[in-house]
Amino acid sequence: MTPVIEAEGLGMSFGGEEVLGEIYLSVGEGEIFGLIGPSGAGKSTLTRLLTGYLRPSRGSVRVFGRDPCAFGAADRRRIGFMPQGFVLYGGLSVRQNVNFAAGLYGLRLGERRRRVREVLEFTELWKDRRKAASRLSGGMQRRLQLAAALVHEPQLLFVDEPTANLDPILRRKFWEGFEVLRDMGRTVFVTTQYVGEAELCDRVGLLSGGGLAAVGTPEELRRRAFGGEAMELTLAGEPGRLGRHLDALEGVGHVVEVREERPGDGAAASTVRLVVEDADTALPRAFEALRGAEVLSADLIHPSFDEVFVRLVRG
């Protein structure tokens, strides 16, 4: 995969206080890369370094093989940037705002008309094109900013906290739009504080305390956090009476949790979480190890990305 973004030892300090330190990162062409982290972790600062709005205190960054701080107009046209806050003109209509953005990027009149309509249809704003931007809802203003960032057909799109404070339906629409762009060969770099959105990215960087705790695909990070795949087996009986069965399961994988359950009939049961290298091959071995026990259920589980984030950040 051709790298579009490359950062080596990237660091940033303000007034002697380190905000980001030792960032090593590579983002490939045609992928959705999610930078995940809590508010204040440094996501916006890193985005501004990658787009050339800030000059790093240490290290280097290359976007399309060049220092973004040295970008000319032609380089800038390859990039789109959607900031977190609303920065367009409230007194202009939806169409006028996007048309103005297209003019800044040098689109000729015929091409400008075509692209304005295309991006407003893409963001589902065409029917509202005559409305003043100040009269739009917060979610519609966010979509208008996305349209303005896409009107010049950038190869690389940066979006800073695009789904903050949006309802789940609108958040899903944004991600569907990013997937369409990815499928067109564009690269989308998204920052978000919603850890669960990591599942929607091709690769993820977990940012905490000014550093990258981990980078990889969602599945790679899940396996790294838990040491493999996780299964849950529910057995009849209290945990204290399962000693030999738990010992036998240790030969299949690693028992990380045993908790008591009380089904509706009141009978005691125990749920065992087992981490294994490969669940498909481990499941029959687990049943063999549990010979003589009453197995009530067996399920492959996918721990939430909140769990993954906490484990990787805490080390």
Side-chain angles (χ1 to χ4, degrees), residues 285-298:
R285 294 175 55 212
F287 275 101
E288 180 66 25
L290 292 172
R291 185 179 296 174
E294 184 181 356
V295 181
L296 304 177
S297 65

Side-chain angles (χ1 to χ4, degrees), residues 67-145:
D67 180 353
C69 290
F71 273 2
D75 299 308
R76 290 283 173 204
R77 279 195 290 271
R78 301 178 73 183
I79 293 175
F81 178 53
M82 177 186 163
Q84 184 176 354
F86 187 70
V87 297
L88 298 177
Y89 294 96
L92 296 182
S93 71
V94 166
R95 181 164 56 183
Q96 287 170 334
N97 267 294
V98 180
N99 189 62
F100 176 74
L104 291 178
Y105 285 104
L107 272 67
R108 295 173 183 254
L109 184 59
E111 183 184 14
R112 192 186 308 177
R113 286 175 177 167
R114 174 183 64 82
R115 284 299 298 157
V116 168
R117 176 157 190 157
E118 284 177 354
V119 295
L120 289 181
E121 288 179 344
F122 179 74
T123 54
E124 299 181 6
L125 286 173
W126 178 248
K127 69 179 188 304
D128 299 297
R129 60 191 179 277
R130 295 186 178 88
K131 283 186 180 178
S134 60
R135 293 178 51 214
L136 301 178
S137 67
M140 293 174 73
Q141 287 183 340
R142 203 75 61 84
R143 282 187 279 150
L144 175 57
Q145 294 219 128

Side-chain angles (χ1 to χ4, degrees), residues 3-307:
V4 172
I5 299 171
E6 296 174 283
E8 295 187 0
L10 193 62
M12 189 69 198
S13 299
F14 294 106
E17 181 179 352
E18 185 175 86
V19 178
L20 290 173
E22 294 295 311
I23 299 293
Y24 290 86
L25 180 63
S26 178
V27 178
E29 183 179 17
E31 72 171 332
I32 300 174
F33 185 89
L35 186 66
I36 314 292
S39 179
K43 300 186 299 298
S44 294
T45 299
L46 179 54
T47 302
R48 282 160 175 74
L49 289 169
L50 298 179
T51 52
Y53 288 97
L54 289 176
R55 187 176 296 277
S57 304
R58 297 168 301 283
S60 66
V61 59
R62 292 287 183 271
V63 177
F64 296 116
R66 299 193 60 196
D67 180 353
C69 290
F71 273 2
D75 299 308
R76 290 283 173 204
R77 279 195 290 271
R78 301 178 73 183
I79 293 175
F81 178 53
M82 177 186 163
Q84 184 176 354
F86 187 70
V87 297
L88 298 177
Y89 294 96
L92 296 182
S93 71
V94 166
R95 181 164 56 183
Q96 287 170 334
N97 267 294
V98 180
N99 189 62
F100 176 74
L104 291 178
Y105 285 104
L107 272 67
R108 295 173 183 254
L109 184 59
E111 183 184 14
R112 192 186 308 177
R113 286 175 177 167
R114 174 183 64 82
R115 284 299 298 157
V116 168
R117 176 157 190 157
E118 284 177 354
V119 295
L120 289 181
E121 288 179 344
F122 179 74
T123 54
E124 299 181 6
L125 286 173
W126 178 248
K127 69 179 188 304
D128 299 297
R129 60 191 179 277
R130 295 186 178 88
K131 283 186 180 178
S134 60
R135 293 178 51 214
L136 301 178
S137 67
M140 293 174 73
Q141 287 183 340
R142 203 75 61 84
R143 282 187 279 150
L144 175 57
Q145 294 219 128
L146 179 59
L150 289 173
V151 70
H152 60 296
E153 299 187 271
Q155 295 169 263
L156 169 61
L157 176 66
F158 288 93
V159 280
D160 191 10
E161 299 279 3
T163 59
N165 303 317
L166 297 184
D167 65 79
I169 294 175
L170 189 52
R171 282 167 59 188
R172 181 63 248 184
K173 282 185 175 293
F174 265 92
W175 282 98
E176 288 172 352
F178 299 152
E179 290 166 3
V180 170
L181 293 169
R182 184 268 316 280
D183 293 344
M184 295 169 63
R186 314 284 178 82
T187 302
V188 185
F189 187 100
V190 187
T191 74
T192 178
Q193 60 184 297
Y194 296 116
V195 177
E197 291 186 335
E199 299 278 10
L200 305 174
C201 303
D202 297 312
R203 286 195 311 127
V204 180
L206 302 183
L207 191 66
S208 177
L212 281 172
V215 178
T217 67
E219 187 55 37
E220 286 170 349
L221 295 186
R222 182 175 281 110
R223 292 184 68 89
R224 178 173 167 181
F226 289 89
E229 297 182 339
M231 303 187 331
E232 282 194 349
L233 303 127
T234 301
L235 314 177
E238 299 173 355
R241 306 179 69 177
L242 299 176
R244 68 182 181 87
H245 297 302
L246 297 180
D247 290 341
L249 284 175
E250 286 288 354
V252 178
H254 177 50
V255 176
V256 295
E257 181 185 7
V258 182
R259 63 181 185 271
E260 185 173 356
E261 307 284 356
R262 285 287 174 179
D265 60 7
S270 302
T271 295
V272 180
R273 179 176 288 193
L274 184 69
V275 174
V276 298
E277 180 63 27
D278 179 80
D280 289 336
T281 59
L283 187 59
R285 294 175 55 212
F287 275 101
E288 180 66 25
L290 292 172
R291 185 179 296 174
E294 184 181 356
V295 181
L296 304 177
S297 65
D299 299 289
L300 175 64
I301 64 168
H302 292 276
S304 72
F305 228 85
D306 293 84
E307 292 182 79

